[in-house]
Amino acid sequence: MAVSLVILTTPDDSPMRRELSVAPGTSILKAAHAGGVDVTATCGGRGRCTSCRVKFVAGTIPPPTIMDEIQLGDDLVREGYRLSCQCAVTEAITVQLAPPLEEQAFQILGAGPGVAGLGMRIDAGIVKELVKVSLPREEHHQTSDLEQLAAAVGVAPETVAPSVLVGLPQALRDDPSGVTVTTFSGARAGRSVIAVERGDTTAMKFGLAIDVGTTSVVTTLIELESGEQLASISSLNPQAVFGGDLMSRIAFAQFNPTNLRKLHTRIVGLLNQHVAEVCRASGVLPQWIYKAVVVGNTCMHHLLLGIDPSHVGLAPYAPVMRHAAVLAAREVPLKIAPEARVCLLPLVAGFVGADAVAVALATRLADSPALRIAVDIGTNGEVLLGSRERLLACSAPAGPALEGAQIRHGMRGAQGAIDRVTIDGDVRVHTIGETPALGICGSGLIDLLAGLLDARVIDWTGLIRVEARDSLPPALRDRVTMRGEERVFTVLRPGEAGARGEIVLTQDDVRQVQLAKGAIASGIAMLLHVAAVPLERVDELMLAGVFGNYLSIPSAIRIGLIPALPLPRVRYVGNAASLGAQLCLLSEAERGRAEGVAARIEHVSLAAHPDFEQLFVDAMNFPRGSA
Ligand code: FES
């Protein structure tokens, strides 16, 4: 017989209440998702994070599982918190959702550097012209509105998208000054009419560059004549509720059409919110957006199109499709001009998708005689190595730890996040916005680990050296403790740097960062190994990705996230995937080139390579340095 599960969803005095009827034995997380209640499950329900924690408000609190104890720690367990993915409903209970630590709000970003300086001629393929159409006047005129329009524009009637016809009669008759006809001529497609508007709107011509990352989604609104960025917005990928990394998300969707649909509608819904926000911020009407270019890894690409990614998650990890696709916005559906062209760049193989192609394009990796590495740091990072001779790429599944997830006091790079740490006898921190510390983000974690390695608080295997604490300066010694079975370094005590509660780094946090940096470092090592080139021959290493821009290069080298190249040979290149999308938005020639670049990239499958395991184990450890 079903039992009652009440979920309180807002942590204030008047919480929202959802009552669900649940089969006994169902986990709270599963029941919540089935009932349409968003509970974030960063690790996909494997008991490896804390995002799904709930607090018992009524009913018997079950004894903690081992995962509750490991992830939540003694204090939270005592206060009645449990991991909802590990806790089955057996009787009527009421639970309160824990608020996520990170901010969920949209962030409207300032205009980035854009594509200026990349030596590109703007030709987005979108042309708008004011046309006077002579309408049929006599009954014996054997013609139609469509034929008259097509003749005036100089195209065949079949090239006019059918949905344009809906408003055509009115548009043709409403304004004596004529109609504005928008056409698209693609890298491979002929000229077609994609919009007809009454009056003169020729000056209004906009496009979107969209980077769908596993954790973050960035949408940039661009004026298609000048290339000027008008607004850019970034927010969390809402699919993360169903799993922080690709494998958990694939597992959620695997052979389950309902869950696949959830993932699809989440991302489409977010993109439409982005459209509304960038339009509001810039005063542009959505119907004036005629082209969008989307990049993302294979899984994100498939989910956006509603394609089942099940087989991408199973050996031999084959994508369902790889070619560059062009759709009408109404097919996605994206709420811009209904016939606007939505262009998806081609995929490479396995998880290496259109984002890697965009990075290669934006960094001009395939054009230069110099041997260069591009590292796109993200939940599903990518590493590229190449020159105009040869281009290799692999996916580096770092997981979400460097974006603050699965870390006890981790958070995204938002206001209040510790983003810089110095250790000189004691701990000094800087927070984003210089506001009281709430948690620690990826760049702060990397600084912290680099400092703790130099201070010998952590050894090269990653162990927090509790046994050796007496050899540390007093201020650091007092921060190194054993709590039950857990080794802990206290970054901030309550009150320090305005922190309301304690902010700690646990042994497990160190391991999570080791796994993440090991994935990236072993990806770099593997590409060098396959290309048979020593590190010294690498002319430049470029750090890409939203996160890559904020981390300290010396700290990244200290912890072995990137190899020890001389500092002048390492540079930030910003969000290169988004930049590649912008290039293809503004230039059909570049979009054509992207296909050539995708075809040239040799995919290196890490899992299948016999030497990978050893490389990964080596990459997990920290460089010995002075520790
Ligand atoms: S611990 Fe439950 S989803 Fe991660």
Side-chain angles (χ1 to χ4, degrees), residues 29 40-53 71 83-86:
L29 180 72
T40 305
T42 303
C43 74
R46 285 175 289 163
R48 304 235 183 98
C49 68
T50 57
S51 66
C52 70
R53 68 199 187 282
Q71 299 300 343
L83 298 174
S84 66
C85 65
Q86 304 297 308

Side-chain angles (χ1 to χ4, degrees), residues 481-501:
T481 47
M482 203 77 199
R483 298 197 185 160
E485 298 286 289
E486 193 174 46
R487 292 164 187 265
V488 171
F489 179 80
T490 306
V491 184
L492 294 178
R493 302 184 185 93
E496 289 180 340
R500 261 189 280 158

Side-chain angles (χ1 to χ4, degrees), residues 427-443:
V427 180
R428 278 170 229 298
V429 303
H430 173 268
T431 61
I432 297 177
E434 304 195 345
T435 53
L438 294 173
I440 186 158
C441 68
S443 60

Side-chain angles (χ1 to χ4, degrees), residues 352-499:
V352 179
D355 47 355
V357 175
V359 169
L361 200 65
T363 55
R364 304 299 194 209
L365 206 56
D367 302 349
S368 154
L371 185 65
R372 297 186 295 156
I373 295 175
V375 185
D376 193 0
I377 300 180
T379 302
N380 190 70
E382 268 141 5
V383 182
L384 295 112
L385 166 74
S387 65
R388 63 176 168 226
E389 310 300 325
R390 193 177 180 193
L391 202 48
L392 302 173
C394 66
S395 104
L402 295 179
E403 304 196 41
Q406 299 187 23
I407 299 294
R408 177 77 57 88
H409 289 120
M411 64 182 286
R412 283 180 85 213
Q415 185 132 317
I418 299 171
D419 63 337
R420 291 264 171 270
V421 180
T422 333
I423 296 194
D424 53 357
D426 200 0
V427 180
R428 278 170 229 298
V429 303
H430 173 268
T431 61
I432 297 177
E434 304 195 345
T435 53
L438 294 173
I440 186 158
C441 68
S443 60
L445 268 175
I446 290 172
D447 269 1
L448 176 63
L449 287 183
L452 293 179
L453 281 165
D454 282 342
R456 301 169 64 89
V457 174
I458 291 178
D459 73 13
W460 66 278
T461 68
L463 189 76
I464 298 178
R465 300 169 70 227
V466 178
E467 295 75 11
R469 62 196 288 274
D470 288 338
S471 63
L472 299 172
L476 288 181
R477 182 188 60 214
D478 297 343
R479 294 180 184 274
V480 180
T481 47
M482 203 77 199
R483 298 197 185 160
E485 298 286 289
E486 193 174 46
R487 292 164 187 265
V488 171
F489 179 80
T490 306
V491 184
L492 294 178
R493 302 184 185 93
E496 289 180 340

Side-chain angles (χ1 to χ4, degrees), residues 492-576:
L492 294 178
R493 302 184 185 93
E496 289 180 340
R500 261 189 280 158
E502 194 184 46
I503 294 178
V504 301
L505 178 82
T506 68
Q507 184 64 66
D508 195 51
D509 294 341
V510 179
R511 297 292 178 226
Q512 293 296 335
V513 177
Q514 284 181 281
L515 282 169
K517 73 109 186 169
I520 289 166
S522 58
I524 298 172
M526 179 56 90
L527 293 193
L528 290 169
H529 180 65
V530 170
V533 290
L535 181 63
E536 302 72 60
R537 269 208 42 217
V538 174
D539 296 295
E540 187 175 46
L541 186 146
M542 295 170 284
L543 284 172
V546 184
F547 166 70
N549 262 10
Y550 296 102
L551 60 82
S552 140
I553 291 172
S555 294
I557 291 177
R558 177 64 188 93
I559 72 162
L561 174 69
I562 55 174
L565 281 168
L567 291 184
R569 282 202 248 159
V570 184
R571 73 179 167 106
Y572 303 113
V573 289
N575 186 352

